[in-house]
Amino acid sequence: MKSFKNTGLLLVLMLSVCIVDSKAQDAASILAKMDKIIFSPKDKQGNVTIVLTDRSGKEKVREATMLQKGRDKKLYRYTKPESQAGIATLSLSDDVMWLYLPAFGKPKKISMLAKDQSFTGTDFSYEDMVTTPYSERYTPTLLSSQGNSYLLKLIPKTGKSNYSKVFVKIDKANGYPISMEFFNKMDKKFKDASYRYEKVGEYWNASEVIMKDYEKNHSTKILLNNVKFDQGLSDDLFLVEKLKPADKNKESN
């Protein structure tokens, strides 16, 4: 009788391990599918409109161009208003980021310690804008599968992240993110993001992203339009030395 009980207990434990392992695999595959949606184009370019809304409801509008190649290279260059024109950011592999401010006259590398700082005055941080896939940065757990979405909890794989955890809701049918909730090191939710995707050719495009910061009572809306995919963008467009615009006077001479 004792042997039967021990065998039964062993079977229960084995079944529990299998269930946990299956959930872990499901979570990993769901997150990997989301990464594939985000990084599947060979390259992407488009025009960006950024709308900043403060606690009183006052809006500031900026415009920029965006170039992206694969998962490792992304370039933002502001064009409007005049006070922002020329500011550029370059995201490269291994979470490397560069910032060019016309007032400084040369690119500046963004350190990991500064990744929690505001991305050019928006409610996105520099960490939010890195090009490294989520599956490489976070360990996922599947919390629920209800209706048309999955809910995953993401825990940073290293202590370099400024988040303690992130909850992401993912569309079941297509695999893109619907929303994210961000928690700081004190395990307090302080901002969230919502996404709207549209199909452009064979790819899903994040045409609208809204990030809300509850501590600042401030929000940022990013609209990507006139997007084009797989245009054969050159690697030369993503060189650090290209962040500083060429001197047109020198070019004319």
Side-chain angles (χ1 to χ4, degrees), residues 120-140:
T120 61
T122 70
D123 294 289
F124 294 82
S125 67
Y126 284 99
E127 181 177 353
D128 297 329
M129 307 302 285
V130 299
T131 59
T132 307
Y134 286 88
S135 55
E136 294 184 15
R137 289 188 282 153
Y138 295 97
T139 299

Side-chain angles (χ1 to χ4, degrees), residues 178-195:
I178 299 171
S179 64
M180 292 189 187
E181 297 179 332
F182 301 87
F183 291 74
N184 59 24
K185 288 292 190 178
M186 294 179 289
D187 217 27
K188 177 184 177 182
K189 176 184 171 181
F190 71 107
K191 65 181 185 179
D192 62 33
S194 60
Y195 300 80

Side-chain angles (χ1 to χ4, degrees), residues 63-175:
E63 294 181 12
T65 58
M66 186 278 293
L67 301 176
Q68 182 173 339
K69 185 169 184 179
R71 73 179 198 183
D72 295 331
K73 303 178 181 70
K74 181 182 286 187
L75 171 67
Y76 277 92
R77 191 180 298 279
Y78 286 91
T79 55
K80 293 181 181 179
E82 186 176 345
S83 60
Q84 301 290 318
I87 294 175
T89 62
L90 177 64
S91 303
L92 299 172
S93 59
D94 300 322
D95 291 348
V96 173
M97 293 192 72
W98 290 85
L99 170 66
Y100 173 75
L101 297 173
F104 291 165
K106 63 180 181 179
K108 176 183 178 182
K109 191 174 183 179
I110 304 298
S111 72
M112 285 303 300
L113 295 175
K115 290 286 176 66
D116 65 331
Q117 294 181 5
S118 171
F119 177 79
T120 61
T122 70
D123 294 289
F124 294 82
S125 67
Y126 284 99
E127 181 177 353
D128 297 329
M129 307 302 285
V130 299
T131 59
T132 307
Y134 286 88
S135 55
E136 294 184 15
R137 289 188 282 153
Y138 295 97
T139 299
T141 300
L142 177 59
L143 297 181
S144 68
S145 172
Q146 298 179 350
N148 66 345
S149 64
Y150 297 110
L151 180 63
L152 301 185
K153 180 173 72 172
L154 308 181
I155 300 297
K157 291 183 177 181
T158 71
K160 295 180 180 180
S161 174
N162 292 289
Y163 302 127
S164 62
K165 61 187 175 186
V166 178
F167 290 132
V168 55
K169 186 180 291 186
I170 299 175
D171 181 89
K172 283 184 178 180
N174 302 301

Side-chain angles (χ1 to χ4, degrees), residues 183-243:
F183 291 74
N184 59 24
K185 288 292 190 178
M186 294 179 289
D187 217 27
K188 177 184 177 182
K189 176 184 171 181
F190 71 107
K191 65 181 185 179
D192 62 33
S194 60
Y195 300 80
R196 181 164 62 85
Y197 274 72
E198 62 181 8
K199 198 73 176 288
V200 178
E202 62 180 297
Y203 299 115
W204 284 101
N205 173 56
S207 57
E208 178 183 280
V209 184
I210 301 175
M211 181 72 82
K212 296 180 180 179
D213 188 314
Y214 293 100
E215 293 181 344
K216 298 178 182 177
N217 196 10
H218 196 279
S219 68
T220 301
K221 179 191 294 185
I222 294 181
L223 303 168
L224 180 61
N225 48 70
N226 298 325
V227 63
K228 296 178 182 179
F229 295 103
D230 299 348
Q231 300 295 297
L233 297 180
S234 170
D235 287 336
D236 290 345
L237 295 171
F238 302 92
L239 298 176
V240 175
E241 52 265 33
K242 293 290 185 69
L243 283 177

Side-chain angles (χ1 to χ4, degrees), residues 19-34:
I19 291 174
V20 170
D21 184 61
S22 175
K23 285 187 176 182
Q25 289 180 8
D26 287 345
S29 63
I30 292 168
L31 191 60
K33 183 177 180 180
M34 187 185 86

